[in-house]
Amino acid sequence: MATEEELFANIDALLEEEPQLPPPAERARLRQAAGITQARLATALKTTTQTVKNYENGRSEPKSPRLEAYQRLLNGWAAKYPAPGTAPALTPAPEVAPPRAPEIFTGPSEPETEIPAPIEAPPAPVAPERPTTRPATSRPATSRRPAAKKAANPTVDPRFPHGPLAVLDGDGSAYGVDGIVLDCPATTVPELVEWTLRESGLGAAKLNRYGKDSDPLIVLTAAAAVNLGLPERLEGHEQRRSLRLPQDHPVVKQVTKAKWQLTQRGFGPWARVYRTAQGRERQCVQLAILSWDALDERSWPGVAEMEPADIARVLGVYAQRVLTPRGSTAVSGLELMTALRPPTKPERDEETGNWVSAYNPGSLGTEPMDPAPPEATAEHPVVVNSGWTGGFLNEEAYQWVRSVDTLTDEECTLPFALGLDLNTAFLAAAARLVVGLSAPDHFHNVKFNPKIPGSWLVDLSHIELDPRLPSPFTPDGTRPTGPAWYQTHTIAYAQELGHDVHPIEAYLRRDTGAYLDPWHDRLKNAYVDTLADLGVTKDLDDRQFLTAMEQHKQADPALAAVLAAIKATVKGGVGKLRERPQGKNYKAGERWPALDRPTWRPDIRAAVISKARVNMHRKLNNMAKMTGLYPLAVLSDCVVYPAPSDSPLDFLPYAASGKPKPGAFRLGPTPGLAKLEGVQSMLWAVDLMEKGLNPARHIKGGDAVMDEGE
């Protein structure tokens, strides 16, 4: 039988526990019964209205001393306004799962620099880790997950129970995916990094067996940044990429004193804080500061202004479907390529029996590769040091406007100009695209082979072209005037049109592969799945598709922002393959940082754009054959046609069965299919054409016409 001393000890232990609050719904009921608004309660608790909303919907819980004050208030209300048919009582809070430390891997890396994968044995099953505990002097990281919310991830990695990222607000609440909220006690950046790695349970599993897990991401609101000693804004720099804290800033000194390091890009909008790898252990945290414009409005429309929980939802869906953001969408697009095609894999040495790092077939390897001179840019050391004057590849997207002299009376009397936009045209072009994996070899008088990726010097000026269509060989749609360098797909299309080609010179690659295939597949699924969540599914007929596309952005602004970010990831990732030098102090012939990564591959960029432009011309040509219609203008993946009505259903080619004819433009939600971009009057389009402006640039924006150079 228990003694009195034992019973009193147990009671004292219970009294020392944290106050327990009623369920979120009961908190809201009590406040409403008392006739108090959320704003008035927020003032009394010295917090924000949004925080009170979070208390009442279960997204977050108060912390001391606000916790005790809130409980006292609720106890008073419960005594005055008991629930109908019940005595006033407090329901215990749900049990909180213990925190779990994320598995840590090797090697910090710049957002734009690939680091070889660590030498390690092939993956083996990982035994469950024991929950970590915090020192007795600090409060444990707790997770508050509403039961009614649907998980953003279909499965939860046991090593990362709280998802890939969190958005830290000024009150210490770290909002994660699936509506969870963690309590973060950190008051300095080093403390935040330690908490993230040791206690938060944040991170994401690698996308390839030979890759590495994603570093946890902490997004800081303006209030959180200020609480950590960071300035609310960074100003005084001409270029956004140069935004960073000075080396003598107190926060940078704190990081250094705690024996953490920053990457060469310093402490900017996207900062990586790490310690040098020790064996297989990786210690690296990615930080993103919202008030420093980490989430560019063009790629993440409206996200920076959302509430922290909604920001976490947007970034969490992107992380699940693409990868944890590691910088701009362009940086993330490039890093996704490496995450899906790691440069190395572990391989056992036959002589020593040890595991060594070996080349992973199909990847770009670990070493940067100089391009052939015609594939480079004019300022590249390969060009400057060799004195190359032989010209360059000009494989760019279309910017073409048809001459008004070629318009017929019949076309001019049509009432509408209608714009069609191809869904993620560059992504569609990346499908099953064979690119070079090795260094280029130089050839003269070589026979053209459409299966070999490379750059060819060919004269296509003799080919007769319809002036109502852009030339497939030049970005501005004009006829070539003599020999020029072209990527393989452009020359292959000339053959497809029935013309003889006789290369004068070529730079070709012997080792080839479909390097971008997994990148294409993952981004395609992300795009299609996000559109489907917005109500635009594959099973819709064309009329239903057009209706759904008119409404999809209003269906869920958060998911609409994810969709915009996915599209920006595609274009930005392709663009990063030929990143140019930055800064006004750069001098031609000097190497710039992007050249030191294996993914600086202008030839792969040229292959994607060449194939996309060829795909566009093939559709334009087939449309002319099937319907007799010719475009007014093309801008990248958007084409404008004269049309008899404001609906594409009235001029796109359909078979007698009602199905779209293959080969021309088709409506649909997958990459390469088309959607309606905008409708204006034919008079509006002709007026722009006469001014030398491109209707495809402005078809969506109505009367807001800018100069083409803007």
Side-chain angles (χ1 to χ4, degrees):
M1 184 173 180
T3 66
E4 180 181 274
E5 182 178 353
E6 291 173 331
L7 292 173
F8 273 84
N10 292 340
I11 296 300
D12 289 340
L14 290 175
L15 291 173
E16 291 176 359
E17 289 186 358
E18 288 187 352
Q20 295 178 334
L21 301 175
E26 177 65 7
R27 302 170 200 174
R29 186 195 71 79
L30 290 171
R31 177 186 54 77
Q32 292 166 356
I36 302 298
T37 65
Q38 290 177 328
R40 186 176 174 188
L41 177 56
T43 301
L45 293 175
K46 295 189 180 300
T47 187
T48 65
T49 303
Q50 181 60 46
T51 300
V52 171
K53 291 180 180 178
N54 293 340
Y55 294 165
E56 295 184 356
N57 62 27
R59 282 186 168 179
S60 67
E61 298 288 337
K63 294 174 293 188
S64 296
R66 191 172 289 120
L67 173 62
E68 291 79 9
Y70 191 34
Q71 188 205 35
R72 181 178 180 183
L73 177 63
L74 293 174
N75 284 344
W77 282 344
K80 294 175 65 176
Y81 311 108
T86 62
L90 292 180
T91 304
E95 184 178 350
V96 174
R100 186 183 295 272
E103 185 176 343
I104 302 169
F105 287 81
T106 59
S109 64
E110 286 283 344
E112 300 168 18
T113 303
E114 282 78 8
I115 301 297
I119 301 174
E120 57 182 71
V126 180
E129 302 176 14
R130 291 186 177 183
T132 61
T133 57
R134 294 171 59 95
T137 56
S138 60
R139 190 176 175 194
T142 59
S143 164
R144 303 184 291 278
R145 186 188 302 265
K149 290 282 287 185
K150 180 181 177 182
N153 282 317
T155 58
V156 177
D157 191 309
R159 296 172 300 145
F160 311 118
H162 297 148
L165 54 89
V167 181
L168 182 62
D169 205 357
D171 64 356
S173 295
Y175 297 81
V177 300
D178 192 24
I180 66 169
V181 185
L182 308 175
D183 290 324
C184 176
T187 59
T188 67
V189 169
E191 288 178 1
L192 175 62
V193 172
E194 292 281 359
W195 174 84
T196 303
L197 290 175
R198 313 301 175 201
E199 303 176 42
S200 70
L202 295 173
K206 54 194 173 185
L207 299 180
N208 182 286
R209 62 179 300 195
Y210 301 131
K212 57 189 179 185
D213 294 335
S214 290
D215 299 321
L217 168 65
I218 300 294
V219 181
L220 304 180
T221 65
V226 171
N227 287 349
L228 294 171
L230 298 167
E232 184 173 345
R233 301 288 304 179
L234 275 184
E235 298 176 350
H237 296 273
E238 295 179 1
Q239 296 187 9
R240 180 178 176 274
R241 65 177 288 114
S242 66
L243 287 172
R244 65 187 66 187
L245 290 179
Q247 290 298 313
D248 60 353
H249 191 278
V251 170
V252 177
K253 290 182 178 180
Q254 287 176 357
V255 170
T256 304
K257 185 177 180 180
K259 302 189 184 308
W260 291 98
Q261 300 179 58
L262 297 168
T263 54
Q264 292 181 358
R265 300 193 67 178
F267 205 118
W270 289 89
R272 286 189 179 184
V273 185
Y274 72 96
R275 282 185 178 143
T276 304
Q278 300 293 329
R280 291 183 60 190
E281 290 214 342
R282 176 179 175 83
Q283 301 182 82
C284 186
V285 174
Q286 176 83 61
L287 302 177
I289 297 90
L290 291 174
S291 58
W292 297 4
D293 298 325
L295 298 181
D296 190 303
E297 176 67 19
R298 294 167 296 180
S299 302
W300 301 94
V303 177
E305 306 304 319
M306 293 179 179
E307 295 293 340
D310 295 321
I311 296 174
R313 178 181 173 230
V314 171
L315 298 180
V317 173
Y318 180 90
Q320 174 204 342
R321 295 180 177 177
V322 182
L323 86 167
T324 306
R326 302 179 184 181
S328 67
T329 48
V331 169
S332 296
L334 194 70
E335 292 220 341
L336 180 63
M337 297 179 192
T338 304
L340 294 168
R341 291 275 199 191
T344 61
K345 66 173 184 175
E347 192 172 273
R348 193 180 293 277
D349 186 282
E350 294 182 358
E351 296 182 1
T352 64
N354 296 328
W355 290 97
V356 297
S357 184
Y359 169 70
N360 183 24
S363 76
L364 298 182
T366 62
E367 297 299 322
M369 184 183 301
D370 280 339
E375 297 168 347
T377 56
E379 68 272 11
H380 195 285
V382 164
V383 175
V384 175
N385 296 337
S386 67
W388 173 262
T389 58
F392 301 96
L393 279 175
N394 188 25
E395 298 288 12
E396 303 293 342
Y398 269 133
Q399 294 193 53
W400 171 80
V401 179
R402 183 173 158 191
S403 170
V404 291
D405 296 336
T406 65
L407 294 176
T408 65
D409 292 340
E410 183 181 0
E411 286 176 317
C412 291
T413 56
L414 289 173
F416 294 100
L418 189 148
L420 293 175
D421 181 76
L422 295 182
N423 302 322
T424 56
F426 289 168
L427 185 61
R432 299 179 298 280
L433 177 68
V434 177
V435 300
L437 302 177
S438 57
D441 292 323
H442 194 190
F443 299 89
H444 289 276
N445 297 318
V446 62
K447 183 178 180 181
F448 177 70
N449 187 332
K451 295 183 179 180
I452 301 178
S455 304
W456 311 76
L457 180 63
V458 185
D459 189 351
L460 301 178
S461 61
H462 63 282
I463 297 178
E464 290 290 340
L465 301 168
D466 190 320
R468 295 171 295 178
L469 290 176
S471 166
F473 311 126
T474 60
D476 63 4
T478 59
R479 181 174 177 170
T481 58
W485 289 95
Y486 301 98
Q487 201 276 335
T488 298
H489 283 88
T490 304
I491 305 302
Y493 187 58
Q495 274 193 339
E496 180 183 323
L497 295 175
H499 304 288
D500 291 332
V501 293
H502 303 284
I504 304 167
E505 192 177 350
Y507 286 89
L508 309 177
R509 288 170 167 78
R510 299 180 186 274
D511 296 335
T512 64
Y515 171 71
L516 293 175
D517 261 9
W519 184 81
H520 163 270
D521 293 347
R522 186 164 180 85
L523 286 170
K524 176 185 176 181
N525 289 337
Y527 180 83
V528 171
D529 290 348
T530 306
L531 258 185
D533 287 343
L534 289 166
V536 187
T537 56
K538 295 180 180 179
D539 60 343
L540 301 178
D541 63 32
D542 285 0
R543 193 174 301 278
Q544 293 170 328
F545 168 75
L546 291 173
T547 301
M549 286 300 295
E550 287 180 358
Q551 305 166 352
H552 80 283
K553 290 184 179 180
Q554 289 73 41
D556 189 330
L559 285 179
V562 174
L563 188 69
I566 292 170
K567 293 189 286 186
T569 301
V570 173
K571 285 193 174 182
V574 172
K576 277 284 184 180
L577 291 168
R578 197 192 69 169
E579 183 178 358
R580 306 294 286 269
Q582 305 287 333
K584 59 184 179 181
N585 296 324
Y586 174 78
K587 295 180 181 179
E590 296 177 345
R591 292 187 68 83
W592 60 94
L595 301 187
D596 294 331
R597 65 177 186 233
T599 50
W600 196 86
R601 289 295 301 273
D603 57 302
I604 296 180
R605 173 186 179 274
V608 173
I609 298 176
S610 167
K611 186 178 175 184
R613 198 181 67 245
V614 163
N615 287 347
M616 172 64 83
H617 191 275
R618 187 180 289 113
K619 294 180 189 298
L620 297 173
N621 204 26
N622 288 337
M623 277 286 290
K625 293 177 180 177
M626 294 178 188
T627 67
L629 292 176
Y630 291 84
L632 301 176
V634 185
L635 182 71
S636 187
D637 48 11
C638 178
V639 55
V640 176
Y641 274 99
S645 77
D646 61 356
S647 172
L649 300 176
D650 293 330
F651 78 89
L652 290 178
Y654 291 88
S657 63
K659 293 184 178 180
K661 289 185 178 180
F665 293 102
R666 296 175 55 188
L667 300 175
T670 55
L673 298 186
K675 61 180 180 292
L676 180 62
E677 181 71 1
V679 181
Q680 300 295 330
S681 71
M682 184 64 179
L683 183 61
W684 171 91
V686 173
D687 182 57
L688 287 185
M689 295 166 68
E690 289 177 339
K691 295 177 181 178
L693 302 178
N694 192 324
R697 184 183 299 276
H698 310 293
I699 191 74
K700 189 175 184 178
D703 296 328
V705 176
M706 302 174 294
D707 291 338
E708 292 294 278
E710 292 187 11

